[in-house]
Amino acid sequence: MDRFIVTIDGPAGSGKSTIAKLLAERDGFVHINSGAVYRALAFALGESVDEERIKGLDLELRIENSSIVVYIDGRDVTGKLIGENVGKVASKVAKLGFVRDYVNERVRELAKNGKFVIDGRDCGSVIFPYADVKIFLDADLKERARRRSLETGEDFNEVLKVIEKRDKQDRERDIAPLVKPQGAYEVDTTGKGIEEVYEEVKDIIRRVYDNRNR
Ligand code: C5P
């Protein structure tokens, strides 16, 4: 098998990246966080993105230690992309068709040969509709805000407000809205620990993999 693709979609704070990282650390997957590419555009260009400015951008995506590292003008900016300030702008620019086409192409060109876990909002519905395994993670809003604020160090109430708005924007946009992709396995992570969710997801992947090779 030269390519095996697992997609994980879901709203902010549902645990997508955490679980994808574990699959990369423990199970030999390469993790591609598609949100990082939207965040990189938002970080570099702000809300005033246009096709010319994207073309003129020196944005390099490298896979290092099984995950994506973002370089702008030759400098590693990956650490600057976390946080709700960049997330908020990312969600605004993610409504634009030419931005989505650009990100999809960059993500697809990274995931050529090997085992990949790709997380985002439309990975199973649009970027890889023929993925081998599709997962949809969800959780109660307050719990998601709590996780996000622990992760980024930002104020809980502030994060709650911002992700509520961001999720609404992501769910209601015209192009590639956040949906549970057709054929996806849904896992509700509310009240569950990381290891429990990891085992559940791992089990789904194992079942599909075993069925395929039977
Ligand atoms: O996953 P993350 O929070 O880093 O994503 C930031 C934003 O990028 C999301 O709120 C969403 O608007 C956008 N995004 C998207 N499609 C993806 C991944 C992220 O629209 N596949």
Side-chain angles (χ1 to χ4, degrees), residues 34-35 38-39 90-91 94 100 120-122 148 166 170 173:
S34 62
Y38 288 98
R39 284 171 180 268
S91 176
R100 304 206 68 81
R121 304 293 183 291
D122 65 343
R148 253 301 163 31
R166 186 146 76 88
D170 290 344
R173 69 178 168 227

Side-chain angles (χ1 to χ4, degrees), residues 12-13 138-147 163 188-191:
D138 207 348
D140 166 83
L141 172 66
K142 279 202 177 134
E143 181 153 340
R144 292 191 286 107
R146 208 162 25 241
R147 291 175 187 165
I163 68 170
D188 186 342
T189 70
T190 312

Side-chain angles (χ1 to χ4, degrees), residues 7 12 18 24 59 70 72 76 86 99 118 172 189 197 213:
T7 59
T18 304
L59 172 64
V70 180
I72 294 176
D76 178 357
V86 183
V99 168
I118 300 150
E172 294 179 358
T189 70
V197 178
N213 295 299

Side-chain angles (χ1 to χ4, degrees), residues 169-186:
Q169 199 157 256
D170 290 344
R171 287 194 163 104
E172 294 179 358
R173 69 178 168 227
D174 294 331
I175 312 169
L178 167 65
V179 287
K180 177 181 163 190
Q182 228 183 347
Y185 295 85
E186 182 162 357

Side-chain angles (χ1 to χ4, degrees), residues 17 30 34 46 52 67 75-76 85 96 113 148 154 158 160 170:
S17 280
V30 169
S34 62
E52 280 311 304
S67 70
R75 283 187 28 228
D76 178 357
N85 278 336
L96 303 166
N113 286 307
R148 253 301 163 31
E154 294 164 305
E158 201 43 45
L160 182 80
D170 290 344

